[in-house]
Amino acid sequence: MQRLRTTPRPDWQKIVESQGFLFHSPDEQPYWDEGVYYRFTSAEIDAVEKASYALNDMCLKAVQHVIDNKLFERFTIPPPFVDYVVSSWERDEFTLYGRFDLAFDGRNPPKLLEYNADTPTSLLEAAVIQWHWMKDMLARPGSKIDQFNSIHERLIEAWRSFKSIYDGTLYFSAMADVVEDHMTVAYLRDTAAQAGMETRYIAVEQIGWDRDRRCFVDEFAQQIGCCFKLYPWEWMVREQFAPNLLEGNTRWLEAPWKMILSNKAILAVLWELFPDSPYLLPAAFDPEPVGPSYVRKPILGREGANVTVTVNGRTTLETEGIYGGPYVYQRLYPLPRFDGQYPVIGSWMVNGYACGMGIREDATPVTGNTSRFVPHVFA
Amino acid sequence: MIVLALMGSAIAMWGYRSCARDSYYYGSTTQPYSGGGHGTGTRYHSYGHTSWWHSGSSSSSYGSGSSHSSGVSRGGFGSSGHAASS
C-alpha cells in the first residue's frame, strides 16, 4: 500500500462534472483529489475483500442477536418501531448496499471502524469517477493497473434482482438542495433505470401523507409504493410522519432492519459476539473494557461529528457537531499515516457482494465531511 | 435555484453522454465481475441506457409541491435540515 503523487488531468473539473460529479470542490476546498492516489497489491485488495465478506456475515448474525435478545433500547429504537424493525428482518426485506469503513495499512488485517449501512455516500466517486480516472491513467505510457471496482455493475444487478420482487414505480428521495445527496440518488436512480425499473424522484420534504387514503403519496397524489430514501431511519422514526410509517404500506429502501446495523451500538454487539475476529476492535458501551485509549462515538452520530479521541485517559481530539449520547467506546487503533495524511478505506457491499472501495483521507485521524476522496489502483 | 439548475445541467450531460456510450464498452466483455478478478476487462459503464432524464420526469420533482388532493399533508419528513449522507 503506497500513497503516490501524480499529475491531475488537465481540466479535471470539467471531466468529473461531465460524469455527474458536481461536488468535487465544495466551499472552494478540494474534495476529489486526483493529485495523489493509493496503490495496492492484489493480495492487499484480497485482504479487504475477504474482511468485507467476513464482516458482512458477522453483521447479519449480530442483527439476529439484537432481535433475539431484544436489545432495542440499547439502539434507542423507539418502542413503537420495534415490531416494524423485527418484521422487516423476518421478511428478509431487500437491502441494496452498505459501506464498511476500515483502517488498513496493507500489512495487518483491516479493522472495522464503523458500518454505514443505511445512507452511505461517496458512492458516485467510488463507482464512477475514480473508475474513469483509472481509465485515463491506463492511457499513460507504461501503466499496468487495475481497480477494485465493480460497484456499478453490482448495483444494476441488484436492481434487476429487486425488480423480480417489486415491479412498480420506484421512487428515489433525498433532501432538497443538498447537492451531494441529490446526485447520489440521481446516480442510484440511473442504475435502477438501467435495470429496467420505472423510477421517479421526489424530495424528502415533498413526500406527502394522504389522510383519506392512509398512504404516502408524491406531488401528484400518486401512492408511493416503494421508495429508496437517502434519509436516515433514526430521523424518520422521530419526525412528524413517523406514526404514518406504521400505518402506510410503502416499502422503504434501505429496509427498516438496517436501523440496527447503521447504529454504532452494533460495534459493541459485534465485539461481544466475535471477540476473536481479526477484523474487529474492542468496543463497549462504557470505556473501561476497551482500555485507556479509545474513541468515543455517538451511536447515532454522522460524518465524524462529536467524536472524541482519548489516549491513556487524556482527551486529545474532539470534533464538533450536533450529536449527543448514548455513546459507544472503541479501542483506539492508530490509522496508517502517509505523507501526513490518514486514509480510511470505504469497502462497498452491494446486494451481498464486496465489490469495490473508495478512500477518504484527512490530516486528522477522524474522517469527516471535509475529508478528501482519493482514487486507488492495484497492480 | 442555482443549485438545482446546476444539477439539471449535470443530469443533461449524463443524458448527452448516454447518446454516445454504445461505443463505451471497456474490454471485450460485458460480463459482470465474477469475483475472480477485480476490474479491468470485466466491467463497463453504460450511463443513461434508458435516458430517463430526457422524459422530463426528473425535473417534475422540483415543483412547488402543491397537491392535487386536499387531504394531503407534506413536510412530515425532512425537518432535520441536515445533509443525510454518511
Side-chain angles (χ1 to χ4, degrees), chain A residues 265-370:
Chain A
I266 200 68
L267 296 171
V269 174
L270 282 167
W271 179 251
E272 181 189 341
L273 294 177
F274 307 104
D276 297 325
S277 170
Y279 306 123
L280 297 176
L281 296 168
F285 293 107
D286 57 86
E288 275 194 7
V290 300
S293 299
Y294 55 82
V295 179
R296 190 190 76 170
K297 306 175 180 181
I299 64 170
L300 295 177
R302 311 176 72 79
E303 296 276 16
N306 302 101
V307 167
T308 63
V309 177
T310 298
V311 179
N312 291 323
R314 190 172 66 88
T315 298
T316 59
L317 179 64
E318 185 167 5
T319 62
E320 296 181 342
I322 59 170
Y323 304 101
Y327 300 97
V328 67
Y329 299 81
Q330 187 181 49
R331 181 174 294 173
L332 180 64
Y333 184 78
L335 289 176
R337 198 172 184 204
F338 296 84
D339 302 331
Q341 302 296 318
Y342 298 92
V344 169
I345 308 290
S347 179
W348 286 94
M349 298 296 302
V350 176
N351 199 27
Y353 293 97
C355 58
M357 69 184 202
I359 300 174
R360 302 279 300 276
E361 67 170 24
D362 202 287
T364 79
V366 178
T367 303
N369 61 0
T370 59

Side-chain angles (χ1 to χ4, degrees), chain A residues 104-119:
Chain A
F104 184 50
D105 59 8
R107 296 185 300 276
N108 297 292
K111 302 288 188 188
L112 177 66
L113 300 175
E114 61 184 60
Y115 186 23
N116 296 282
D118 184 19
T119 58

Side-chain angles (χ1 to χ4, degrees), chain A residues 89-232:
Chain A
W89 172 253
E90 290 177 344
R91 285 197 299 268
D92 195 18
E93 286 192 341
F94 180 79
T95 172
L96 177 69
Y97 71 162
R99 193 192 74 230
F100 291 113
D101 284 350
L102 307 171
F104 184 50
D105 59 8
R107 296 185 300 276
N108 297 292
K111 302 288 188 188
L112 177 66
L113 300 175
E114 61 184 60
Y115 186 23
N116 296 282
D118 184 19
T119 58
T121 50
S122 76
L123 179 67
L124 179 64
E125 305 89 294
V128 177
I129 308 304
Q130 69 167 347
W131 177 259
H132 288 299
W133 170 85
M134 186 201 70
K135 282 173 60 74
D136 289 341
M137 288 287 283
L138 268 173
R140 296 181 181 182
S143 287
K144 282 191 175 180
I145 52 176
D146 204 338
Q147 191 174 86
F148 179 28
N149 191 352
S150 60
I151 300 169
H152 183 79
E153 287 70 28
R154 287 298 188 194
L155 287 168
I156 295 172
E157 186 179 271
W159 290 125
R160 286 194 181 120
S161 170
F162 184 63
K163 193 171 187 294
S164 67
I165 302 168
Y166 177 83
D167 199 20
T169 299
L170 176 59
Y171 287 77
F172 286 82
S173 192
M175 290 281 284
D177 297 336
V178 179
V179 177
E180 179 183 2
D181 293 7
H182 182 93
M183 295 311 296
T184 300
V185 299
Y187 170 61
L188 280 170
R189 183 183 172 194
D190 183 70
T191 59
Q194 290 187 49
M197 299 204 75
E198 184 183 340
T199 67
R200 276 185 54 79
Y201 175 83
I202 183 169
V204 166
E205 300 92 325
Q206 291 300 321
I207 293 173
W209 174 255
D210 190 315
R211 292 185 294 275
D212 301 325
R213 292 187 290 158
R214 317 305 295 171
C215 62
F216 288 107
V217 295
D218 66 12
E219 307 96 315
F220 307 101
Q222 297 295 310
Q223 183 172 355
I224 298 174
C226 184
C227 182
F228 175 92
K229 72 338 169 261
L230 192 68
Y231 197 71

Side-chain angles (χ1 to χ4, degrees), chain B residues 10-47:
Chain B
I11 288 167
M13 282 188 272
W14 264 351
Y16 174 77
R17 288 177 53 77
S18 74
C19 298
R21 69 113 202 133
D22 283 345
S23 60
Y24 201 57
Y25 286 77
Y26 185 74
S28 59
T29 174
T30 59
Q31 296 300 309
Y33 169 61
S34 62
H38 289 294
T40 304
T42 60
R43 61 169 294 156
Y44 67 101
H45 279 280
S46 51
Y47 277 122

